[in-house]
Amino acid sequence: MAFASIIAFGYRYSNVLNMASLKEQNKCHDVTHRVISLFFRQYDLPGQIPSAIGDLTYLKYLTFRKLHNLTGPIPESLTKLKYLDFLRLDWLNLTGPIPSFLGQLKNLTYLNLSFNKLTGGIPDSLSTIPGLKSIYLDRNQLTGKIPASLANLKLNGLYLILSHNNLSGELPPAFAGVDFEKLDLSRNKLQGDASLVFGKNKSTYYIDISRNQFEFNLSKVEFNESLTTLDMNHNKIYGSIPKAMTGLELQSLNVSYNRLCGEIPVGGRLQSFDYSVYFHNRCLCGAPLDSCK
Ligand SMILES: *[C@@H]1O[C@H](CO)[C@@H](O)[C@H](O)[C@H]1NC(C)=O
Ligand SMILES: *[C@@H]1O[C@H](CO)[C@@H](O)[C@H](O)[C@H]1NC(C)=O
Ligand SMILES: *[C@@H]1O[C@H](CO)[C@@H](O)[C@H](O)[C@H]1NC(C)=O
Ligand SMILES: *[C@@H]1O[C@H](CO)[C@@H](O)[C@H](O)[C@H]1NC(C)=O
Ligand SMILES: *[C@@H]1O[C@H](CO)[C@@H](O)[C@H](O)[C@H]1NC(C)=O
Ligand SMILES: *[C@@H]1O[C@H](CO)[C@@H](O)[C@H](O)[C@H]1NC(C)=O
Ligand SMILES: *[C@@H]1O[C@H](CO)[C@@H](O)[C@H](O)[C@H]1NC(C)=O
Ligand SMILES: *[C@@H]1O[C@H](CO)[C@@H](O)[C@H](O)[C@H]1NC(C)=O
Ligand SMILES: *[C@@H]1O[C@H](CO)[C@@H](O)[C@H](O)[C@H]1NC(C)=O
C-alpha cells in the first residue's frame, strides 16, 4: 500500500473538524487523495475527540495538541486505524483511563498522551505492540505499579517517560534486561531498588528517577559510558559515589537529598558541578562540598 500524500495537513488552519468532508476524501480510490495525517493544534476545538476519526481508515499520523477544551475519554473507534503509526494526544483535558484497546494498534511506534487528566493504571496491552518505541505518559494522574510486561518492549532504544504521576510500588525486576534510551520516572511514589535500570551493557543516555522513594546502594551500581544525564535527587539512596562515575561524560547530574556518604571521587566531570548537585546527603564530602576531615 502506497501512501502518497498528507492532504489533511491544511486542517490545522481550521477550527472546525469537518468529518463529513474528510470521510468523502477518504473514500477516494486514488491513493494520492487519502487522508493519512491529521494535525490539530491550539484552536478552540470543543467537545470530545470525534469517534468518526475511526473511519479515516488510512490514517497514519494523528495529532491533537494544546486544545484545552477537548475533554472526555480516548475513543474506542481509534482501534479501526490499523495503519496508525504516530498518536499524539497531548495538552488536552482527556479523562478516564489509558484504554487497554490501544494495544490493538499494532502499527504504532509512537504514543504521546502527556499533560492530560488520565487516571488508572498503565495497561499491559501496550506491550503487545511490536514496534512501540516511544511512550510518553507523563503529567497525568496515573496510579498503580509499572507493569512488568513493558519489559517485553525490548527494542533497543526505548523511550519511557512516566514522570509526574502517582505510580507506586517497586520497579519490575525484568527492567534489568531492558536497554532504555531515555527513562524518566521522576515525581512518582516508586520505591525499592532502582539500581536495576543501570548496567554496563546498556546504552541509556538519560535517567531521571528523582523525587521517589527509591532505596539502594549506589556503590554497587555499574555505569555505561553512554550516560550523560543522571538525576536521582530526593530518594533514599545510600552507599557512596562510585569511582567509575569519573569516567562518564556527564552533562547533568543531581544526587542531592539522599543518604550518601564518603568522598566524592576526584576526576572527570564530578567537580564541574556546583554543591547543590551533592548537598543534603548523610555524610558526603570533598569538592565541591567541604573537604573530608
Ligand atoms: C475554551 O472555551 C471557552 C468557552 O467557550 C472559550 O472562551 C475559550 O477561548 C476556549 N479555549 C481555547 C483554548 O480555545
Ligand atoms: C482544561 O485545562 C485547563 C488548564 O489545565 C483548565 O484551565 C481548564 O479549565 C480545563 N478545561 C476543562 C473543560 O476541564
Ligand atoms: C501494519 O502491521 C501489520 C501487522 O503487523 C503489517 O503486516 C503491516 O505491514 C503494517 N502496515 C503498515 C502500513 O505499516
Ligand atoms: C510528548 O508531549 C510532550 C508534551 O507536549 C512533549 O513535551 C514531548 O516533547 C513530546 N514527546 C515527543 C517525543 O515528541
Ligand atoms: C497524587 O495523589 C495525591 C493524593 O494521594 C493527590 O493529592 C495528588 O494530586 C496526586 N497527584 C497526581 C499527579 O495525580
Ligand atoms: C546485560 O547483560 C546481562 C548479563 O550478562 C543480561 O542478562 C542482560 O540481558 C543484558 N542487557 C542488555 C540490555 O543487553
Ligand atoms: C556500553 O553499551 C554499549 C551499547 O550497549 C556497548 O556496546 C558497550 O560495550 C558498553 N560499554 C561497556 C564498557 O560495557
Ligand atoms: C554498599 O556497597 C558497598 C560495596 O559493595 C559496601 O562496601 C557497603 O558496605 C554497602 N553499604 C551499605 C550501607 O550497605
Ligand atoms: C539538584 O536538585 C536539588 C533538589 O531538587 C535542587 O535544589 C538543586 O538546585 C539541583 N541542582 C542543580 C544544579 O540543578
Side-chain angles (χ1 to χ4, degrees):
M1 183 80 53
F3 296 95
S5 76
I6 302 180
I7 70 152
F9 198 64
Y11 281 76
R12 74 152 100 187
Y13 302 109
S14 158
N15 64 356
V16 181
L17 184 50
N18 190 338
M19 286 306 306
S21 152
L22 286 175
K23 269 195 257 183
E24 226 17 73
Q25 282 160 346
N26 194 54
K27 275 187 207 144
C28 195
H29 292 295
D30 179 355
V31 287
T32 63
H33 287 92
R34 280 175 179 161
V35 179
I36 66 160
S37 177
L38 270 184
F39 184 98
F40 282 87
R41 180 166 181 250
Q42 281 174 329
Y43 288 88
D44 182 10
L45 197 64
Q48 304 194 355
I49 296 176
S51 65
I53 290 277
D55 298 333
L56 302 175
T57 316
Y58 303 103
L59 214 53
K60 232 180 144 182
Y61 310 96
L62 178 59
T63 300
F64 284 93
R65 81 177 298 239
K66 293 203 171 176
L67 307 160
H68 291 309
N69 286 347
L70 203 62
T71 182
I74 297 170
E76 186 158 9
S77 63
L78 290 185
T79 58
K80 291 196 269 177
L81 302 173
K82 297 300 180 205
Y83 296 99
L84 202 63
D85 168 309
F86 180 101
L87 179 60
R88 182 167 188 170
L89 309 173
D90 63 326
W91 287 96
L92 310 173
N93 271 337
L94 297 180
T95 56
I98 296 175
S100 183
F101 59 66
L102 289 181
Q104 294 173 38
L105 297 171
K106 298 294 185 213
N107 286 42
L108 215 56
T109 63
Y110 172 99
L111 176 65
N112 195 336
L113 305 175
S114 300
F115 285 91
N116 279 293
K117 293 178 178 145
L118 299 167
T119 51
I122 299 170
D124 272 321
S125 64
L126 294 183
S127 68
T128 67
I129 304 174
L132 189 58
K133 206 170 151 65
S134 300
I135 306 177
Y136 289 78
L137 306 177
D138 53 301
R139 305 250 182 189
N140 279 289
Q141 294 156 20
L142 302 175
T143 51
K145 295 180 74 166
I146 298 176
S149 57
L150 287 185
N152 297 337
L153 296 167
K154 274 198 180 157
L155 291 166
N156 287 337
L158 184 65
Y159 282 69
L160 183 62
I161 314 297
L162 304 176
S163 61
H164 289 263
N165 279 295
N166 260 339
L167 298 166
S168 58
E170 303 204 346
L171 295 185
F175 272 19
V178 184
D179 191 9
F180 297 100
E181 186 137 349
K182 178 171 177 178
L183 179 67
D184 188 349
L185 305 175
S186 62
R187 292 179 192 257
N188 277 287
K189 292 176 178 154
L190 298 162
Q191 44 179 273
D193 186 4
S195 68
L196 48 84
V197 304
F198 300 92
K200 234 183 164 45
N201 58 356
K202 296 193 184 186
S203 53
T204 316
Y205 80 93
Y206 185 110
I207 294 179
D208 188 348
I209 55 169
S210 65
R211 293 183 191 260
N212 279 287
Q213 292 148 31
F214 288 124
E215 203 168 352
F216 60 90
N217 187 345
L218 186 61
S219 313
K220 299 187 178 198
V221 172
E222 293 192 317
F223 299 93
N224 183 284
E225 66 272 12
S226 57
L227 192 65
T228 59
T229 297
L230 177 57
D231 195 345
M232 313 197 283
N233 83 76
H234 281 96
N235 279 288
K236 301 175 186 168
I237 300 163
Y238 57 91
S240 54
I241 295 179
K243 178 85 181 146
M245 282 182 74
T246 60
L248 302 178
E249 297 287 325
L250 289 168
Q251 282 153 24
S252 172
L253 174 71
N254 203 327
V255 299
S256 65
Y257 292 89
N258 278 293
R259 296 175 180 173
L260 298 168
C261 265
E263 183 165 21
I264 298 167
V266 177
R269 313 228 35 194
L270 294 185
Q271 276 66 43
S272 70
F273 302 110
D274 72 52
Y275 73 101
S276 76
V277 160
Y278 299 103
F279 69 174
H280 290 278
N281 272 287
R282 188 162 281 167
C283 48
L284 213 49
C285 59
L289 299 178
D290 291 343
S291 63
C292 305
K293 295 195 178 72

